[in-house]
Amino acid sequence: MMQADFDALWITLKLAGLTTLILLVLGTPLAWWLAQTRWRFKFFIEAIVALPLVLPPTVLGFYLLIALGPHGPLGGLMIWLGGQSLAFTFAGLVIGSVFYTLPFVVQPLQNAFAAMGSRPLEVAATLRASPMDRFLTIAVPLARPGFLTAAVLGFAHTVGEFGVVLMIGGNIPGETQVLSIAIYDHVEALEYGHAHWLSGGLLLLSFLLLISVYAFNKRFSVLRS
Amino acid sequence: MSIEARFTISYNKFLLDVELHIPASGVTAIFGASGCGKTTVLRLMAGLIRTANGYLKVDDDIWQQDDVFVAPHCRAIGYVFQEANLFPHLNVRGNLEYGLKRVPLNARQLAFNDAVNLLGLSSLLERNPVNLSGGERQRVAIARALLTSPRLLLMDEPLSALDDASKNDILPFLERLHIELEIPVIYVSHSREEVARLADYLVLMEAGRVQATGPIAEMLTRVDLPFAHGDEAESIIEATVAGFDDEFNLTLLDFPGGRFCVSRKSVAIGQQVRLQILARDVSLTLEQQSGTSILNILQAKVLELSAEGVAQVMVKLDVGGVPVLSRITRKSAQGLDLHPGKNIFAQIKSVALLT
């Protein structure tokens, strides 16, 4: 492997880790709200959350590029604040990944919160636990398998991202070049040996992540039944 | 000391409209068929559901009125659900401490060990709830609710999800609770047997409305209510253990209308017990019989007569101020010339000790 490949690996892990962290922080309240609310238009929000599942990454990437660029609302704001536009930066990549990976984190969490039903929370309420207390001491522990699924899916999906990254991050080695794009470059340059190393590594990583999720959730469901 | 509640709520086509004044002591049973709204009343009292214009006062504290609505976690209630609903991520000790930890030290009225002993949980503390039997889980749930030192314990058919063996396992604990703690209990049930054993006061609900309320002995013998009809019609009598007859191995039980002799039971002198007498086990005579195998013969006065089908009559008697039902044939009633106010003797074939 070349130095550029190690850089790409590091950027990929950093991007996936940060994205997962941000999504767990922002996605948990959103998923909780979606699981609890009786608002009749909640399907509208659910559809927006699910949009990245069906949208071609290039479409999402295109709109993000415009939003993050010097004339877009986000990029413009950054310039007005004395910074630079977010297009072709690592920060831009993180913002893009957060949008693109949103459903993979919110949906498992929402399902986990919905699956526990309202009864454990009612019981906790009659045991003097305030709403925030109930959320932290009952809902979060009971949704633990959902959190694990959400974190692993969010991480793995960001690692596997290609189109959105290419659209908004460009392909700047050491800055915005991630593994999936590095592989693409190797193949274009007919460096199949390098491509094999990176592809095989990603395949193994993804497989191990998914195995750990399924093994953990299986152990959990056996414990519950 | 009383609980006053007024709730109106409509779900789809079901309308619940109740007004309750119940004593804030002893066990009040809310009795009714499935779907009559009794669980909804309990959930409204706990604040788990909220209705506009509801009113709830416990002693001098208003829990709901106009804009006032005390959140469920701020109400000093204990709630036992039909299913135990133990938290699966905590062991038995963790479940018991969950509520206890959230009650300020100076508001705690029941120590951890007392609750554990009262419900016989000491050997279960480190167990995982998944590995407990249904009856054990429900006992943990009851102790968990008690440990919040509630001013009012709400129980929603706590035995209905259990098999008969587990029910009989828990009933004695509930009776102990009744005797040893001074917490008023509201007990929702559709089981006549549980109500007869546990309740002091009864609220009868039907189709979202309160049909009648009153002390248990009075309610069970009201001939205008369904309780006092059919094969199960019964009278409940509170009595005191007066002594024993060692020669014949009998227990003597005193109540305001006289004395009962029943076969010897393991009770202590002075103990309060609850007796059950089925209406079909009470026959009537004009003069006190002497040559009879029946031990329990009491002086009574006819209060009311009510037709029971075409061939039988339910007679409500006053035995020293205590209401007792007797079911006899219409022919006998006519032969004895029964009418309200008539003095008569009641022969009681069988008396069951409920506690």
Side-chain angles (χ1 to χ4, degrees), chain A residues 38 118-131 133-142 144 220 222-225, chain B residues 43 46 48 72-79 81-85 87-89 95 98-99 102-103 128 130 144-145 148-150:
Chain A
R38 291 192 192 142
S118 55
R119 190 45 67 81
L121 301 162
E122 288 186 350
V123 173
T126 65
L127 293 169
R128 312 280 186 280
S130 67
D133 190 356
R134 306 202 273 271
F135 173 73
L136 292 174
T137 58
I138 303 297
V140 169
L142 290 185
R144 198 160 64 160
F220 239 78
V222 167
L223 200 81
R224 288 270 170 77
S225 62
Chain B
R43 290 172 63 78
L48 294 175
H73 68 279
C74 300
R75 300 184 182 196
I77 48 149
Y79 200 117
F81 294 80
Q82 206 165 336
E83 312 280 343
N85 289 298
F87 300 130
H89 61 297
N95 269 280
Y98 189 90
R102 287 165 172 79
V103 175
N128 187 309
V130 198
R144 181 174 67 174
T148 61
S149 300

Side-chain angles (χ1 to χ4, degrees), chain B residues 221-223 228-229 233-235 278-280 282-284 300-308 312-319 323-330 332-334 336 338-342 344-346:
Chain B
T221 54
R222 266 177 64 173
V223 291
H229 296 281
E234 64 191 317
S235 317
L278 291 173
R280 59 171 196 252
V282 181
S283 58
L284 303 175
K301 192 199 291 184
V302 175
L303 285 176
E304 237 176 308
L305 293 140
S306 165
E308 180 79 351
Q312 293 178 311
V313 176
M314 190 62 75
V315 185
K316 184 175 178 179
L317 306 166
D318 174 338
V319 182
V324 174
L325 290 178
S326 163
R327 191 180 71 178
I328 57 173
T329 59
R330 194 157 58 87
S332 312
Q334 202 163 45
L336 294 172
L338 295 185
H339 53 82
K342 188 174 177 94
I344 204 157
F345 290 91

Side-chain angles (χ1 to χ4, degrees), chain A residues 8-39:
Chain A
L9 175 66
W10 169 237
I11 288 167
T12 304
L13 294 179
K14 199 165 67 168
L15 177 65
L18 261 175
T19 303
T20 309
L21 201 70
I22 292 172
L23 275 176
L24 284 178
V25 171
L26 298 180
T28 304
L30 177 60
W32 178 247
W33 178 78
L34 284 172
Q36 298 288 314
T37 185
R38 291 192 192 142
W39 186 45

